[in-house]
Amino acid sequence: FTPFSRAGRRDDALVATRPALGCSPPAFRPAELKPPQNSEAPAGLGFRPPAHSHSDWIGPPDKHSNLRPIIFYVPPEESALERRLREARQEAQASNQRFWARHNLAFCQEKEEFIYSRLKAKGLEMRDESGQKATLNAEEMADFYKDFLTKNFKKHLQYNRDWYKHNFRITFLMGQVALVRALRWLRRRKKNVEQ
Amino acid sequence: MSAARRCCPPRALAGFFVWRLRNTGIPQIPCRFVHLHHVANERLITFQYFNFLKRMYVTQGNKDLSQRAKPKSDSIVSPFHELQLLDQEKKVVHKISPVSPVHQSWSETSSRNELTEVKSAAETEDSVIPVGSESKEDRRWKEMKLRLDDLPGILARLSKIKLTALVVSTTSAGFAMAPVPFEFTCFLLASLGTGLASCAANSINQFFEVPFDSNMNRTKNRPLVRGQISPLLAVCFAASCGIPGIALLTLGVNSLTGALGAFNIFLYTCCYTPLKRMSIANTWVGAVVGAIPPIMGWTAATGSLDAGALLLGGILYSWQFPHFNALSWGLREDYSRGGYCMMSVTHPGLCRRVALHHCFALIGLSTVAPVLDITTWTFPIISLPINLYISYLGFRFYRDADRSSSRKLFFCSLWHLPMLLLVMFTCKKSVLEKEDKGDLRGGSHEMAMEIRLP
């Protein structure tokens, strides 16, 4: 249940007027574009799964990449196949995190720069008299969105290719691991039945 | 299977329409038939459904805020400081200004609650507040273990069950409009087969789009994004829906319907989904995906691809454009950042022009219906007001190109389609009428023959 009236919030469903995911309200600092240094290891987030748990743990969406980090469980008798699967998943996670964190930060920064330059051209300041942040309306922002999309088109094509490759590889390895586990379980049952 | 960029709900035929919401990106599923990425609603039902859908739409968009809702009266005490500490811990070199008051007050209140419970020594000694926030963060970590109780709900969301229902309802509309006596078993089999095929296509779509869905507000709570289900299980589920579904259509109905179903799954998963990120042509492909289910319904009933089937498909096809283009107008920021190639972002003029042209096409197609003997001539007359209204809104959208006109057009499209299909069904040319006409013609033929022969 939300205290906000639904009718009042109806706009948001159709228009992304809230800050874009991954864009924490930034101060305008073009020089500070740096991907977060802990973009690789979820361990940097300070969460440790309980010791008795034998499964992976998934966390809240990352502030910059909006992807949910996973802490992988390493069983004591991890087979080579299972290790390959885990490493493939870790590699995909790291690569996705790097891409989206950098991409979203670039988006936010370029958006700020665009707003700043447009406001300047109009003769306005970033913040008006009441201290409210000045914004441009959707039609003015449309130029920026079009530009940003066309500029990053090749980058997205490359990323798509990489993502599909990772995804297929991980799913295939998962299938293999599941098959091996199922066969092992069947063999064990057969042995138990015989005994 | 319509591209449910938006969500979609389902409903049975006979006068009950539902509509759906949707996604371009987001999303889409077989219901892409009905819509793209977004949630698309297809049938219009009662006012309750309307509200229910709107609520779903709104809630989905607000999941963020609704999860953290706290009365605004809570005091905001040094949230900035708290955030800075967190920030420094994470070693992120990025200045963070205070986030929304709601979020701040929530974390503040919950950390106060936490303090009374957490007895273990705090890791950081300068302030207890970060510890509270940390365990709040900790609670957001979930074990990736599949619970059987959750499975039905997860699979429903994976298959975009509401959108699937909308797709099945367009199939039923196609079946109902076919000029043959109504066969109930055939109808059931066709609906079930289409529903299964739609589930399969939607699941594969979500399987392909995990990182993109994470980055869009509308789709960030999907099962694969949240890690509630593994990709392997999603693919297995898709296979276990798709294969029986197509088999059911091919063996239980007819091979033409089965082939159309398989083709539609392919079109949606292998053409539309990757094309969304490569070219604006995805919208046209998606419109075809949305047009095929009613054609499937028709071929299930008659066994052949008649002009009537193509007309129904054409109506659904044309409808997609005002529906989706209007919706996508408000999602330009998400599309731009997510890397989706949509007309509204790259070719805004084309976007509005196409929407308008297809509104006019709907009028034209409604007029062709009686010519093809599908409906009586009352159909274009009765449907003219609603077709003119949507064309008017399309024209306003074309001219004004702003948020309010796009929203008006979108919401109109939501009730326009169900109403059009309902009117079409009520104006359907009865099979008996046609048979009479046929006898008459045959009779006069015989008489003519008699006259000729001595």
Side-chain angles (χ1 to χ4, degrees):
Chain A
F1 175 72
T2 162
F4 300 103
S5 86
R6 294 205 169 102
R9 283 283 153 194
R10 200 166 68 166
D11 288 354
D12 286 357
L14 281 180
V15 180
T17 50
R18 71 176 78 70
L21 287 189
C23 265
S24 19
F28 176 56
R29 290 216 183 160
E32 267 183 15
L33 176 64
K34 237 195 267 180
Q37 284 161 21
N38 67 335
S39 53
E40 310 260 322
L45 292 168
F47 172 79
R48 226 171 280 125
H52 61 81
S53 159
H54 290 289
S55 31
D56 301 334
W57 283 70
I58 189 165
D62 180 78
K63 212 164 31 188
H64 300 285
S65 67
N66 297 311
L67 303 174
R68 289 174 184 254
I70 298 179
I71 296 180
F72 298 97
Y73 171 67
V74 189
E77 297 143 6
E78 194 184 38
S79 69
L81 190 65
E82 285 170 351
R83 204 192 70 242
R84 265 177 38 216
L85 169 64
R86 182 175 53 84
E87 283 170 0
R89 291 173 76 190
Q90 278 168 330
E91 191 200 323
Q93 181 170 283
S95 151
N96 281 340
Q97 172 69 21
R98 268 195 310 269
F99 175 84
W100 284 104
R102 198 172 296 145
H103 179 76
N104 289 340
L105 280 176
F107 180 82
C108 294
Q109 186 194 308
E110 286 180 35
K111 185 177 171 190
E112 282 297 308
E113 283 174 8
F114 176 82
I115 293 175
Y116 181 70
S117 64
R118 278 289 168 98
L119 286 173
K120 204 153 176 215
K122 285 210 261 181
L124 300 168
E125 289 300 318
M126 278 294 280
R127 285 183 189 273
D128 62 22
E129 300 82 37
S130 56
Q132 285 269 3
K133 204 153 166 257
T135 49
L136 300 172
N137 68 25
E139 303 321 312
E140 291 167 316
M141 292 304 300
D143 294 331
F144 166 69
Y145 297 143
K146 177 177 179 178
D147 256 342
F148 188 81
L149 188 65
T150 27
K151 241 192 322 172
N152 287 280
F153 183 68
K154 284 225 174 68
K155 203 168 83 167
H156 276 295
L157 281 184
Q158 183 59 44
Y159 172 73
N160 292 346
R161 241 170 273 143
D162 293 340
W163 156 247
Y164 271 67
K165 260 192 269 174
H166 279 307
N167 201 20
F168 280 128
R169 181 153 174 260
I170 290 171
T171 310
F172 184 68
L173 283 170
M174 276 183 174
Q176 282 181 305
V177 167
L179 201 64
V180 164
R181 281 201 194 135
L183 288 172
R184 211 185 299 152
W185 179 82
L186 275 170
R187 240 177 271 136
R188 218 176 290 148
R189 256 198 73 185
K190 209 171 141 205
K191 235 186 277 171
N192 286 344
V193 165
E194 280 169 8
Q195 283 169 1
Chain B
M1 297 206 271
S2 44
R5 286 199 199 170
R6 316 171 236 232
C7 2
C8 309
R11 218 1 162 208
L13 181 66
F16 237 40
F17 294 94
V18 183
W19 35 273
R20 51 159 184 186
L21 316 173
R22 161 191 201 286
N23 180 45
T24 10
I26 342 69
Q28 292 109 18
I29 27 189
C31 216
R32 179 40 215 132
F33 304 167
V34 193
H35 163 60
L36 326 159
H37 234 356
H38 322 282
V39 180
N41 290 310
E42 260 191 33
R43 301 174 290 207
L44 181 121
I45 201 177
T46 56
F47 187 63
Q48 279 176 338
Y49 266 94
F50 190 88
N51 273 338
F52 164 68
L53 289 166
K54 272 207 192 144
R55 223 181 301 137
M56 232 173 29
Y57 210 150
V58 173
T59 318
Q60 282 219 344
N62 287 335
K63 270 244 159 93
D64 227 336
L65 295 166
S66 60
Q67 282 168 355
R68 302 178 187 181
K70 268 299 185 221
K72 278 188 178 165
S73 52
D74 280 8
S75 63
I76 301 157
V77 179
S78 67
F80 187 47
H81 174 66
E82 190 185 314
L83 287 166
Q84 269 203 322
L85 278 170
L86 273 179
D87 218 27
Q88 281 160 16
E89 281 175 28
K90 296 182 189 182
K91 300 186 192 102
V92 174
V93 184
H94 188 78
K95 180 178 176 201
I96 305 245
S97 1
V99 297
S100 77
V102 175
H103 178 63
Q104 289 166 341
S105 53
W106 183 68
S107 51
E108 177 64 7
T109 320
S110 67
S111 37
R112 268 194 242 118
N113 290 337
E114 232 76 77
L115 286 177
T116 56
E117 293 167 51
V118 173
K119 282 176 190 148
S120 54
E123 280 175 41
T124 54
E125 284 176 321
D126 25 72
S127 152
V128 251
I129 294 175
V131 174
S133 318
E134 220 169 282
S135 62
K136 169 200 104 189
E137 278 294 308
D138 286 358
R139 272 187 286 117
R140 294 171 70 191
W141 282 80
K142 297 271 188 296
E143 193 175 9
M144 286 177 88
K145 203 167 166 184
L146 186 65
R147 282 173 194 83
L148 283 175
D149 303 342
D150 300 335
L151 195 62
I154 291 172
L155 292 180
R157 265 173 290 140
L158 183 70
S159 60
K160 296 190 210 168
I161 197 81
K162 294 180 190 143
L163 187 53
T164 297
L166 288 176
V167 173
V168 170
S169 68
T170 46
T171 308
S172 320
F175 194 95
M177 287 306 300
V180 289
F182 185 81
E183 262 185 52
F184 191 63
T185 30
C186 189
F187 173 73
L188 273 184
L189 290 175
S191 303
L192 186 62
T194 309
L196 287 172
S198 170
C199 288
N202 289 343
S203 308
I204 297 289
N205 170 266
Q206 291 200 18
F207 166 73
F208 282 157
E209 303 247 289
V210 178
F212 314 116
D213 284 345
S214 317
N215 274 282
M216 290 185 67
N217 276 313
R218 199 171 54 83
T219 52
K220 64 189 182 191
N221 286 309
R222 287 185 169 171
L224 282 169
V225 171
R226 288 168 77 178
Q228 293 172 318
I229 197 175
S230 76
L232 177 70
L233 206 53
V235 172
C236 290
F237 174 69
S240 64
C241 282
I243 295 172
I246 299 299
L248 193 63
L249 289 174
T250 315
L251 303 170
V253 181
N254 57 52
S255 48
L256 178 60
T257 313
L260 281 173
F263 175 66
N264 214 11
I265 295 180
F266 165 75
L267 203 61
Y268 183 69
T269 56
C270 302
C271 297
Y272 172 70
T273 303
L275 213 53
K276 271 195 301 198
R277 312 185 58 78
M278 299 199 304
S279 143
I280 59 170
N282 71 74
T283 311
W284 283 267
V285 173
V288 174
V289 172
I292 289 183
I295 297 179
M296 283 169 68
W298 184 289
T299 57
T302 63
S304 63
L305 209 58
D306 311 316
L310 295 176
L311 178 83
L312 262 178
I315 288 179
L316 261 291
Y317 177 83
S318 281
W319 176 84
Q320 306 285 338
F321 291 96
H323 176 75
F324 177 63
N325 287 359
L327 178 68
S328 70
W329 199 256
L331 297 172
R332 284 178 284 182
E333 177 167 7
D334 273 357
Y335 287 155
S336 168
R337 190 170 53 87
Y340 285 107
C341 294
M342 299 297 169
M343 270 193 280
S344 59
V345 182
T346 55
H347 298 80
L350 178 70
C351 177
R352 300 188 326 268
R353 240 190 346 262
V354 163
L356 181 63
H357 290 171
H358 281 273
C359 288
F360 293 152
L362 282 171
I363 301 178
L365 286 167
S366 303
T367 321
V368 171
V371 174
L372 293 175
D373 255 359
I374 302 168
T375 64
T376 57
W377 277 98
T378 48
F379 173 61
I381 297 167
I382 299 181
S383 65
L384 194 64
I386 52 176
N387 284 338
L388 280 179
Y389 184 61
I390 199 174
S391 303
Y392 166 69
L393 290 179
F395 176 70
R396 288 291 301 273
F397 176 51
Y398 173 73
R399 195 191 58 187
D400 303 340
D402 61 2
R403 216 181 92 210
S404 82
S405 54
S406 70
R407 285 184 62 217
K408 282 208 190 91
L409 180 60
F410 172 72
F411 281 116
C412 173
S413 74
L414 293 178
W415 59 256
H416 172 271
L417 181 70
M419 198 165 280
L420 190 71
L421 291 175
L422 182 60
V423 170
M424 200 182 207
F425 182 65
T426 51
C427 296
K428 177 185 174 186
K429 198 158 231 180
S430 103
V431 181
L432 293 168
E433 259 184 54
K434 282 203 216 145
E435 281 176 8
D436 284 342
K437 266 211 194 126
D439 285 341
L440 214 63
R441 255 182 255 127
S444 55
H445 233 300
E446 279 172 47
M447 282 201 310
M449 290 292 287
E450 272 170 22
I451 291 169
R452 259 187 249 138
L453 296 168

Coordinates of all heavy atoms in Angstrom, one line a residue, chain A residues 117-171:
Chain A
S117 N 24.0 23.3 -20.9 CA 24.3 24.1 -22.1 C 23.0 24.7 -22.7 O 23.0 25.8 -23.1 CB 25.0 23.3 -23.2 OG 24.1 22.2 -23.6
R118 N 21.9 24.0 -22.6 CA 20.7 24.5 -23.1 C 20.2 25.7 -22.2 O 19.6 26.7 -22.7 CB 19.6 23.4 -23.1 CG 19.6 22.5 -24.4 CD 19.2 23.3 -25.6 NE 19.6 22.6 -26.8 CZ 18.7 21.8 -27.5 NH1 17.4 21.7 -27.0 NH2 19.1 21.2 -28.6
L119 N 20.3 25.5 -20.9 CA 19.8 26.5 -20.0 C 20.7 27.8 -20.2 O 20.2 28.9 -20.2 CB 19.9 26.0 -18.6 CG 18.8 25.0 -18.2 CD1 19.1 24.5 -16.8 CD2 17.4 25.7 -18.2
K120 N 22.0 27.5 -20.4 CA 22.8 28.7 -20.6 C 22.5 29.4 -21.9 O 22.4 30.7 -21.9 CB 24.3 28.2 -20.7 CG 25.3 29.2 -20.4 CD 26.6 28.5 -19.9 CE 27.6 29.6 -19.6 NZ 29.0 29.1 -20.0
A121 N 22.1 28.6 -22.9 CA 21.7 29.3 -24.2 C 20.5 30.1 -24.0 O 20.2 31.1 -24.7 CB 21.5 28.2 -25.3
K122 N 19.6 29.6 -23.1 CA 18.4 30.3 -22.8 C 18.6 31.5 -21.9 O 17.7 32.3 -21.6 CB 17.3 29.4 -22.2 CG 16.7 28.4 -23.2 CD 15.3 28.1 -22.9 CE 15.3 26.7 -22.2 NZ 13.9 26.3 -21.8
G123 N 19.8 31.5 -21.3 CA 20.1 32.6 -20.3 C 19.6 32.3 -18.9 O 19.5 33.2 -18.1
L124 N 19.4 31.0 -18.6 CA 19.0 30.7 -17.3 C 20.1 30.0 -16.5 O 21.0 29.5 -17.1 CB 17.8 29.7 -17.4 CG 16.5 30.2 -18.1 CD1 15.6 29.1 -18.4 CD2 15.9 31.3 -17.2
E125 N 19.9 29.9 -15.2 CA 20.9 29.2 -14.4 C 20.4 27.8 -14.1 O 19.2 27.5 -14.3 CB 21.0 30.0 -13.1 CG 21.7 31.3 -13.2 CD 23.1 31.1 -13.7 OE1 23.8 30.2 -13.3 OE2 23.5 31.9 -14.6
M126 N 21.3 27.0 -13.6 CA 21.0 25.6 -13.2 C 19.9 25.6 -12.2 O 19.1 24.7 -12.1 CB 22.2 24.8 -12.8 CG 23.1 24.3 -13.9 SD 22.2 23.1 -14.9 CE 22.4 21.6 -13.8
R127 N 20.0 26.5 -11.3 CA 18.9 26.6 -10.2 C 18.3 27.9 -10.3 O 18.9 28.9 -10.4 CB 19.6 26.4 -8.8 CG 20.0 24.9 -8.6 CD 20.6 24.7 -7.2 NE 21.1 23.3 -7.2 CZ 20.4 22.3 -6.9 NH1 19.1 22.4 -6.6 NH2 20.9 21.1 -6.9
D128 N 17.0 27.9 -10.2 CA 16.3 29.2 -10.2 C 16.2 29.9 -8.9 O 16.9 29.4 -7.9 CB 14.9 29.1 -10.8 CG 14.0 28.2 -10.0 OD1 14.3 28.0 -8.8 OD2 13.0 27.6 -10.5
E129 N 15.5 31.0 -8.8 CA 15.5 31.8 -7.6 C 15.2 31.0 -6.3 O 15.7 31.2 -5.3 CB 14.5 33.0 -7.7 CG 14.8 33.9 -8.8 CD 14.2 33.4 -10.1 OE1 13.1 32.8 -10.1 OE2 14.9 33.6 -11.2
S130 N 14.2 30.1 -6.4 CA 13.8 29.4 -5.2 C 14.7 28.2 -4.9 O 14.5 27.5 -3.9 CB 12.4 28.8 -5.4 OG 12.3 28.0 -6.6
G131 N 15.8 28.0 -5.6 CA 16.7 27.0 -5.3 C 16.4 25.7 -6.0 O 17.1 24.7 -5.9
Q132 N 15.3 25.6 -6.7 CA 14.8 24.4 -7.4 C 15.7 24.2 -8.6 O 16.1 25.1 -9.3 CB 13.4 24.6 -7.9 CG 12.4 24.5 -6.8 CD 11.9 23.1 -6.6 OE1 12.4 22.2 -7.3 NE2 11.0 22.9 -5.7
K133 N 16.0 22.9 -8.9 CA 16.8 22.6 -10.0 C 15.9 22.9 -11.3 O 14.8 22.4 -11.4 CB 17.2 21.1 -10.0 CG 18.4 20.8 -10.7 CD 19.1 19.6 -10.1 CE 20.1 19.1 -11.1 NZ 19.7 17.9 -11.8
A134 N 16.5 23.6 -12.2 CA 15.8 23.9 -13.5 C 15.9 22.7 -14.4 O 16.9 22.1 -14.5 CB 16.4 25.1 -14.1
T135 N 14.8 22.4 -15.0 CA 14.8 21.2 -16.0 C 14.2 21.7 -17.3 O 13.6 22.7 -17.4 CB 13.9 20.1 -15.5 OG1 12.6 20.6 -15.1 CG2 14.5 19.4 -14.3
L136 N 14.5 20.9 -18.3 CA 14.0 21.1 -19.6 C 12.8 20.2 -19.8 O 12.8 19.1 -19.2 CB 15.0 20.8 -20.7 CG 16.3 21.6 -20.6 CD1 17.3 21.1 -21.6 CD2 16.0 23.1 -20.9
N137 N 11.9 20.6 -20.6 CA 10.7 19.7 -20.8 C 11.1 18.5 -21.7 O 12.2 18.5 -22.3 CB 9.5 20.4 -21.3 CG 9.7 21.0 -22.7 OD1 10.4 20.4 -23.5 ND2 9.0 22.0 -23.0
A138 N 10.1 17.6 -21.9 CA 10.4 16.4 -22.6 C 10.8 16.7 -24.1 O 11.6 16.0 -24.6 CB 9.2 15.5 -22.6
E139 N 10.2 17.6 -24.7 CA 10.5 17.9 -26.1 C 11.9 18.4 -26.3 O 12.6 18.1 -27.2 CB 9.5 18.9 -26.6 CG 8.0 18.5 -26.5 CD 7.8 17.0 -26.7 OE1 8.3 16.4 -27.8 OE2 7.2 16.3 -25.9
E140 N 12.3 19.2 -25.3 CA 13.7 19.7 -25.4 C 14.7 18.6 -25.2 O 15.8 18.5 -25.8 CB 13.9 20.9 -24.4 CG 13.1 22.1 -24.8 CD 13.1 23.1 -23.6 OE1 12.9 22.7 -22.5 OE2 13.3 24.3 -23.9
M141 N 14.4 17.7 -24.2 CA 15.3 16.6 -24.0 C 15.3 15.6 -25.1 O 16.3 14.8 -25.2 CB 14.8 15.9 -22.7 CG 14.9 16.6 -21.4 SD 16.6 17.2 -21.1 CE 17.5 15.7 -21.0
A142 N 14.3 15.6 -26.0 CA 14.2 14.6 -27.0 C 15.5 14.7 -27.9 O 16.0 13.6 -28.4 CB 13.0 14.8 -27.9
D143 N 16.0 15.9 -28.1 CA 17.2 16.0 -29.0 C 18.4 15.2 -28.3 O 19.1 14.5 -29.0 CB 17.6 17.5 -29.1 CG 16.6 18.2 -29.9 OD1 15.9 17.6 -30.8 OD2 16.4 19.4 -29.7
F144 N 18.5 15.4 -27.0 CA 19.5 14.7 -26.3 C 19.4 13.2 -26.4 O 20.3 12.5 -26.7 CB 19.6 15.1 -24.8 CG 20.4 14.2 -24.0 CD1 21.8 14.2 -24.1 CD2 19.8 13.4 -23.1 CE1 22.6 13.4 -23.3 CE2 20.6 12.6 -22.3 CZ 22.0 12.6 -22.4
Y145 N 18.1 12.7 -26.2 CA 17.9 11.3 -26.2 C 18.3 10.7 -27.6 O 18.9 9.6 -27.7 CB 16.5 10.9 -25.9 CG 16.0 11.3 -24.5 CD1 14.8 11.8 -24.2 CD2 16.9 11.2 -23.4 CE1 14.4 12.2 -23.0 CE2 16.6 11.6 -22.2 CZ 15.3 12.1 -21.9 OH 14.9 12.5 -20.7
K146 N 17.9 11.4 -28.6 CA 18.2 10.9 -30.0 C 19.7 10.9 -30.2 O 20.2 9.9 -30.7 CB 17.5 11.9 -31.0 CG 17.8 11.5 -32.4 CD 17.1 12.4 -33.4 CE 17.5 11.9 -34.8 NZ 16.8 12.7 -35.8
D147 N 20.4 11.9 -29.8 CA 21.8 12.0 -30.0 C 22.5 10.9 -29.2 O 23.4 10.2 -29.7 CB 22.3 13.3 -29.4 CG 22.7 14.3 -30.4 OD1 22.8 13.9 -31.6 OD2 22.8 15.5 -30.1
F148 N 22.1 10.7 -28.0 CA 22.7 9.7 -27.1 C 22.6 8.3 -27.7 O 23.5 7.5 -27.7 CB 22.2 9.8 -25.7 CG 22.9 8.9 -24.7 CD1 24.1 9.4 -24.1 CD2 22.4 7.7 -24.3 CE1 24.8 8.6 -23.2 CE2 23.1 6.9 -23.4 CZ 24.3 7.4 -22.9
L149 N 21.4 8.0 -28.2 CA 21.1 6.7 -28.7 C 22.0 6.5 -30.0 O 22.6 5.4 -30.1 CB 19.6 6.6 -29.1 CG 19.2 5.2 -29.5 CD1 19.3 4.2 -28.3 CD2 17.7 5.2 -29.9
T150 N 22.0 7.4 -30.9 CA 22.8 7.2 -32.1 C 24.3 7.2 -31.8 O 25.0 6.4 -32.4 CB 22.5 8.4 -33.1 OG1 22.2 9.5 -32.4 CG2 21.4 8.0 -34.1
K151 N 24.7 7.9 -30.8 CA 26.1 7.9 -30.5 C 26.6 6.6 -29.9 O 27.7 6.1 -30.2 CB 26.4 9.0 -29.4 CG 27.4 10.0 -29.9 CD 28.0 10.9 -28.8 CE 26.9 11.3 -27.8 NZ 27.5 12.0 -26.6
N152 N 25.7 5.9 -29.2 CA 26.1 4.7 -28.5 C 25.6 3.5 -29.2 O 25.7 2.4 -28.7 CB 25.5 4.7 -27.1 CG 26.2 5.6 -26.2 OD1 27.2 5.3 -25.6 ND2 25.6 6.8 -26.0
F153 N 25.1 3.6 -30.5 CA 24.6 2.5 -31.2 C 25.6 1.4 -31.4 O 25.3 0.2 -31.1 CB 24.1 3.0 -32.6 CG 23.4 2.0 -33.4 CD1 22.2 1.4 -33.0 CD2 24.0 1.5 -34.6 CE1 21.6 0.5 -33.8 CE2 23.4 0.6 -35.3 CZ 22.2 0.0 -34.9
K154 N 26.8 1.7 -31.8 CA 27.8 0.6 -32.1 C 28.1 0.0 -30.8 O 28.3 -1.3 -30.7 CB 29.1 1.2 -32.7 CG 28.9 1.6 -34.2 CD 30.1 1.1 -35.0 CE 29.9 1.3 -36.5 NZ 29.9 2.8 -36.8
K155 N 28.3 0.8 -29.7 CA 28.6 0.2 -28.4 C 27.6 -0.8 -28.0 O 27.9 -1.9 -27.5 CB 28.7 1.4 -27.4 CG 29.5 1.1 -26.2 CD 29.7 2.3 -25.4 CE 28.6 2.6 -24.5 NZ 28.8 3.6 -23.4
H156 N 26.3 -0.5 -28.2 CA 25.2 -1.4 -27.9 C 25.2 -2.7 -28.7 O 25.0 -3.7 -28.2 CB 23.9 -0.7 -28.0 CG 23.5 0.1 -26.8 ND1 23.2 -0.5 -25.6 CD2 23.3 1.4 -26.7 CE1 22.9 0.5 -24.7 NE2 23.0 1.6 -25.3
L157 N 25.5 -2.5 -30.0 CA 25.6 -3.7 -30.9 C 26.7 -4.7 -30.3 O 26.4 -5.9 -30.2 CB 25.9 -3.3 -32.3 CG 24.8 -2.7 -33.1 CD1 25.3 -2.5 -34.6 CD2 23.6 -3.7 -33.2
Q158 N 27.8 -4.1 -30.0 CA 28.9 -5.0 -29.5 C 28.5 -5.6 -28.2 O 28.7 -6.8 -27.9 CB 30.1 -4.1 -29.3 CG 31.4 -4.8 -28.8 CD 31.8 -5.9 -29.7 OE1 31.8 -5.7 -31.0 NE2 32.1 -7.1 -29.2
Y159 N 27.8 -4.8 -27.3 CA 27.4 -5.4 -26.0 C 26.4 -6.5 -26.2 O 26.4 -7.5 -25.5 CB 26.9 -4.3 -25.1 CG 26.3 -4.8 -23.9 CD1 27.1 -5.3 -22.8 CD2 24.9 -4.9 -23.7 CE1 26.5 -5.8 -21.7 CE2 24.3 -5.4 -22.6 CZ 25.1 -5.8 -21.5 OH 24.6 -6.4 -20.4
N160 N 25.5 -6.2 -27.1 CA 24.4 -7.3 -27.4 C 25.1 -8.6 -27.8 O 24.7 -9.6 -27.3 CB 23.5 -6.8 -28.5 CG 22.6 -5.7 -28.2 OD1 22.5 -5.3 -27.0 ND2 22.0 -5.1 -29.1
R161 N 26.0 -8.5 -28.7 CA 26.7 -9.7 -29.1 C 27.3 -10.4 -27.9 O 27.2 -11.6 -27.7 CB 27.8 -9.4 -30.1 CG 27.5 -10.0 -31.5 CD 28.4 -9.5 -32.5 NE 27.9 -8.3 -33.2 CZ 28.7 -7.3 -33.6 NH1 30.0 -7.3 -33.4 NH2 28.1 -6.3 -34.1
D162 N 28.1 -9.6 -27.1 CA 28.7 -10.2 -25.9 C 27.7 -10.8 -25.0 O 27.9 -11.9 -24.4 CB 29.6 -9.2 -25.2 CG 30.7 -8.7 -26.0 OD1 31.1 -9.4 -27.0 OD2 31.3 -7.6 -25.8
W163 N 26.7 -10.1 -24.7 CA 25.7 -10.6 -23.8 C 25.0 -11.9 -24.2 O 24.8 -12.8 -23.5 CB 24.6 -9.5 -23.5 CG 23.3 -10.0 -23.0 CD1 22.1 -10.0 -23.7 CD2 23.0 -10.7 -21.8 NE1 21.1 -10.6 -23.0 CE2 21.7 -11.0 -21.8 CE3 23.8 -11.0 -20.7 CZ2 21.0 -11.7 -20.7 CZ3 23.2 -11.7 -19.6 CH2 21.8 -12.0 -19.7
Y164 N 24.7 -11.9 -25.5 CA 24.0 -13.2 -26.0 C 25.0 -14.3 -25.9 O 24.6 -15.4 -25.5 CB 23.6 -13.0 -27.5 CG 22.2 -12.4 -27.6 CD1 21.9 -11.1 -27.2 CD2 21.2 -13.2 -28.2 CE1 20.6 -10.6 -27.4 CE2 19.9 -12.7 -28.3 CZ 19.6 -11.4 -27.9 OH 18.3 -10.9 -28.0
K165 N 26.3 -14.1 -26.2 CA 27.3 -15.1 -26.1 C 27.4 -15.6 -24.6 O 27.3 -16.8 -24.4 CB 28.6 -14.6 -26.5 CG 29.0 -15.0 -28.0 CD 30.4 -14.8 -28.3 CE 30.6 -13.4 -28.9 NZ 31.9 -13.0 -29.1
H166 N 27.5 -14.7 -23.7 CA 27.6 -15.1 -22.3 C 26.3 -15.9 -21.9 O 26.4 -16.9 -21.2 CB 27.6 -13.8 -21.4 CG 29.0 -13.2 -21.3 ND1 30.1 -13.9 -20.9 CD2 29.4 -11.9 -21.6 CE1 31.1 -13.0 -20.9 NE2 30.7 -11.9 -21.3
N167 N 25.2 -15.3 -22.3 CA 23.9 -15.9 -21.8 C 23.8 -17.4 -22.3 O 23.5 -18.3 -21.5 CB 22.8 -15.1 -22.4 CG 21.5 -15.3 -21.6 OD1 21.5 -15.7 -20.4 ND2 20.4 -14.9 -22.2
F168 N 24.1 -17.6 -23.6 CA 24.0 -18.9 -24.1 C 25.0 -19.9 -23.5 O 24.6 -21.0 -23.1 CB 24.2 -18.9 -25.6 CG 22.9 -18.5 -26.4 CD1 23.0 -17.5 -27.4 CD2 21.7 -19.1 -26.2 CE1 21.9 -17.1 -28.1 CE2 20.6 -18.7 -26.9 CZ 20.7 -17.7 -27.8
R169 N 26.2 -19.4 -23.3 CA 27.2 -20.2 -22.7 C 26.9 -20.6 -21.3 O 27.0 -21.8 -20.9 CB 28.6 -19.4 -22.7 CG 29.7 -20.2 -22.2 CD 31.0 -19.8 -22.7 NE 32.1 -20.6 -22.0 CZ 32.8 -20.1 -21.1 NH1 32.6 -18.8 -20.7 NH2 33.7 -20.8 -20.4
I170 N 26.4 -19.6 -20.5 CA 26.0 -19.9 -19.1 C 24.9 -20.9 -19.1 O 24.9 -21.9 -18.3 CB 25.7 -18.6 -18.4 CG1 26.9 -17.8 -18.1 CG2 25.0 -18.9 -17.0 CD1 26.6 -16.4 -17.6
T171 N 23.9 -20.7 -19.9 CA 22.7 -21.6 -19.8 C 23.1 -23.0 -20.3 O 22.6 -24.0 -19.7 CB 21.6 -21.0 -20.8 OG1 21.4 -19.7 -20.4 CG2 20.3 -21.8 -20.6

